[in-house]
Amino acid sequence: MTQQVWQVERFSTDVTSQIQSMNYSTGRRTQFDSWSAGSLVFTIRNNNGQANGYDLNDKIILTATGTSFYQWFYVQEVLYNDLGGQGKGSTATIVCTDLVGRSGRLQVFEQDIPVDQTIKQLADAFDSLFPTGTGFTYIGGGDSIAAAQDDYSGTVLNRLNLNMVTEQGWLGCTDERIYLYNRSEVYNFTSGITYARTASGSFQFGYLDIKRIALGPDYLNTCTVTPPVAPAQNAQNSTGVGFYDTYGTEFATVDDTGSQALSFAQWQVLTRSDPNELSFQISISDTANNLTEFFESVWANEPVVTVSYQNPGSPTNLTSSQITQGFTMTITPARTDIQIFTSPNYSAYSTFFTLDSGVNGVLNTSELGW
């Protein structure tokens, strides 16, 4: 198979020849996790002080050669591994963070945030804080409304997670932007890539390893949502409680009304009512695949994938529609190994009903009234 070739630049200077190995991460493992910093960590030769050229927040550009994919990172730390003598075998590890990580260092104090759509609110409030040419790009302003806050003090990343939990959208970090998708846009995602037992063509990747994960990770039968403007709201799937006892979770959101928070809770227990729903951890490599279309899909923010698998003892191929939540890479001169984390595709439920809504109607005893 075609070995994936990489290029690493510090600003506009190619430093690929210095690098011995790299590790990459982006996104999250499950839909219950917060969106957290992605990273690029690479080890370079430092026998002649090569690491001295790296400084805090230097821009590092990672490019998958032969594809559209590239991503900006920022140096956060240099770890020196100094050997004795003249240090001819010395190395240094350069620790970089992505734009999501940078947002964890962007802090505001007592900033007024007006009520708005969840995703649009983020861009309007914080986009100007990011390095020049970077920031948020949003696709759909948000299907939920985020409450105002007169004196927000904290990081952009903290507020980002509050708004994204409220919206239940999707986030992608690639090139020089953070891409935010609302629920309606998630519904429009289509599957372009398949992970299967063997590679076939450009869009079907053969996996080296696959883990099917059932039961607890995606299941809920009770959910409590705490908005800033109303008492906590709770929804329960009584049938599920009867079968499995209480199995719930709690969310802090920025829902603008109690009814919107209640709809959120109801949506959670509706979509996560089957403990047999699957998530996957999938490993692929350029030793068995041409990864070009994988990186084209990452660059284009196309997270919906199809996973083909067989149950032990059965020759039947089964398929599952999944949403990619994140992935990691281990990169050496010999190969690129990727581990992908997916969760069930709940896009069919992406628009949840909101009580007393000017858009969706007002609950009026036995019928909807306007």
Side-chain angles (χ1 to χ4, degrees), residues 294-328:
F294 172 84
F295 288 111
E296 292 293 343
S297 177
V298 171
W299 176 77
N301 290 307
E302 297 173 343
V304 174
V305 298
T306 300
V307 179
S308 175
Y309 64 98
Q310 292 180 359
N311 288 326
S314 171
T316 303
N317 285 322
L318 305 174
T319 60
S320 176
S321 180
Q322 298 277 305
I323 291 184
T324 303
Q325 297 292 344
F327 68 95
T328 62

Side-chain angles (χ1 to χ4, degrees), residues 28 30-32 167-170 182-189 213-221 251 264 266-280 303-305 320-325 342-352:
R28 57 187 183 175
T30 78
Q31 74 272 29
F32 286 124
E167 177 61 29
Q168 291 292 285
W170 187 84
N182 66 13
R183 291 194 306 278
S184 296
E185 293 299 326
V186 172
Y187 181 78
N188 292 328
F189 286 149
I213 306 165
L215 302 182
D218 297 302
Y219 179 70
L220 287 177
N221 58 36
F251 294 93
F264 177 105
Q266 293 169 334
W267 181 75
Q268 292 291 334
V269 297
L270 168 68
T271 59
R272 296 184 171 134
S273 61
D274 182 1
N276 295 310
E277 195 76 66
L278 295 176
S279 298
F280 292 88
V304 174
V305 298
S320 176
S321 180
Q322 298 277 305
I323 291 184
T324 303
Q325 297 292 344
T342 73
S343 63
N345 181 7
Y346 295 124
S347 62
Y349 302 99
S350 63
T351 302
F352 51 76

